[in-house]
């Protein structure tokens, strides 16, 4: 005896969509695992993943009345495919595209912070050369420099520039705003700034910046 899953053309179309949606999720999950295990090349992965995402979006849009939740659909049919659900529903773009976007954003951010650090180093050193040695003149410059160095994640926490600036800022906090650095202190601070600047510039290539 033949058992029909549908009673009319509309129901048949619904079950066809279910089958196609199931197949897309399974195929995406297999592709994600293949990419992570390096079985599939980045270019192959991206091409196939893009196709699956386009098909999924089209099908999900036309089936939203019968499949309001993809996660619930996966649960109903006992599909253990978290990687596919993440790629199709949460992300919506291939992992390769995500990685490129993240790298570009990080590169742009790092470049801007590096430029800010260089500017703050030079401003602080030039100010000392111009004999701006009062605490209320030097302190803000070192605070800005310290803040910009701390923004740069490629520098270790014990980086010379960070520790030196922290020591000087702590010293200034114990002095009055109108107090001035002695000639010896100013010379030492300039030396520390120059030394830290050279270490900073030397650290950049090894960090890939």
């Amino acid at each position: 005896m033949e058992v029909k899953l549908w009673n009319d053309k509309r129901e048949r179309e619904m079950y066809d969509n279910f089958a196609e949606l199931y197949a897309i999720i399974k195929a995406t999950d297999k592709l994600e695992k293949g990419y992570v295990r390096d079985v599939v090349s980045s270019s192959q992965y991206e091409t196939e993943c893009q196709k699956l995402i386009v098909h999924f979006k089209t099908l999900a849009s036309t089936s939203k009345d019968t499949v309001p939740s993809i996660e619930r659909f996966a649960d109903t049919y006992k599909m253990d495919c978290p990687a596919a659900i993440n790629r199709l529903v949460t992300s919506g773009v291939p992992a390769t595209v995500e990685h490129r976007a993240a790298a570009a954003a990080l590169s742009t951010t790092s470049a801007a912070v590096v430029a800010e650090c260089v500017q703050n180093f030079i401003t602080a050193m030039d100010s000392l050369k111009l004999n701006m040695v009062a605490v209320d003149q030097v302190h803000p410059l070192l605070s800005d420099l310290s803040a910009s160095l701390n923004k740069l994640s490629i520098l270790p926490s014990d980086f010379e520039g960070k520790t030196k600036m922290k020591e000087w800022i702590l010293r200034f906090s114990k002095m009055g705003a109108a107090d001035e650095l002695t000639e010896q202190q100013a010379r030492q601070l300039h030396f520390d700034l120059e030394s830290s600047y050279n270490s900073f510039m030397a650290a950049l290539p090894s960090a890939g910046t």
Side-chain angles (χ1 to χ4, degrees):
M1 181 182 172
E2 186 181 346
V3 178
K4 279 191 174 183
L5 293 174
W6 57 84
N7 296 314
D8 52 37
K9 188 179 177 182
R10 189 177 176 182
E11 274 195 14
R12 177 174 181 169
E13 189 176 323
M14 180 185 75
Y15 283 111
D16 283 347
N17 287 344
F18 282 5
E20 196 172 342
L21 187 58
Y22 185 96
I24 289 172
I25 293 172
K26 281 291 187 182
T28 303
D29 198 63
K30 191 173 182 180
L31 184 64
E32 288 292 310
K33 287 174 181 174
Y35 175 61
V36 169
R37 292 168 186 162
D38 217 16
V39 176
V40 184
S41 71
S42 295
S43 57
Q44 285 178 311
Y45 164 80
E46 189 167 325
T47 301
E48 293 306 313
C49 192
Q50 201 71 266
K51 286 180 189 174
L52 287 166
I53 289 170
V54 170
H55 291 159
F56 168 77
K57 286 182 177 177
T58 303
L59 190 59
S61 177
T62 56
S63 306
K64 60 185 177 184
D65 289 338
T66 51
V67 187
S69 168
I70 300 300
E71 291 89 342
R72 196 175 300 165
F73 176 86
D75 285 342
T76 300
Y77 292 98
K78 297 184 172 20
M79 301 177 73
D80 185 23
C81 302
I85 299 299
N86 176 65
R87 184 64 47 218
L88 297 169
V89 181
T90 308
S91 172
V93 295
T96 45
V97 175
E98 275 186 337
H99 298 160
R100 282 201 299 272
L106 181 62
S107 175
T108 303
T109 303
S110 295
V113 177
V114 166
E116 185 183 315
C117 290
V118 169
Q119 183 180 332
N120 287 334
F121 266 120
I122 292 171
T123 301
M125 288 189 284
D126 284 351
S127 297
L128 290 174
K129 287 177 184 175
L130 294 170
N131 204 36
M132 294 172 63
V133 292
V135 170
D136 60 357
Q137 291 174 317
V138 184
H139 187 278
L141 301 178
L142 296 192
S143 293
D144 289 344
L145 174 56
S146 180
S148 60
L149 289 173
N150 286 327
K151 283 185 205 171
L152 207 56
S153 58
I154 59 172
L155 297 176
S157 58
D158 61 350
F159 173 68
E160 179 188 350
K162 290 183 179 181
T163 55
K164 292 285 185 186
M165 294 312 105
K166 192 182 288 184
E167 287 169 8
W168 277 104
I169 289 169
L170 182 62
R171 189 178 302 178
F172 288 148
S173 68
K174 297 173 182 175
M175 297 168 67
D179 289 347
E180 293 188 352
L181 297 175
T182 64
E183 185 180 342
Q184 186 180 354
Q185 287 175 323
R187 191 171 176 177
Q188 183 63 50
L189 175 54
H190 190 277
F191 176 82
D192 287 347
L193 283 166
E194 198 165 37
S195 173
S196 298
Y197 176 70
N198 291 334
S199 297
F200 172 75
M201 296 305 289
L204 297 182
S206 62
T209 306

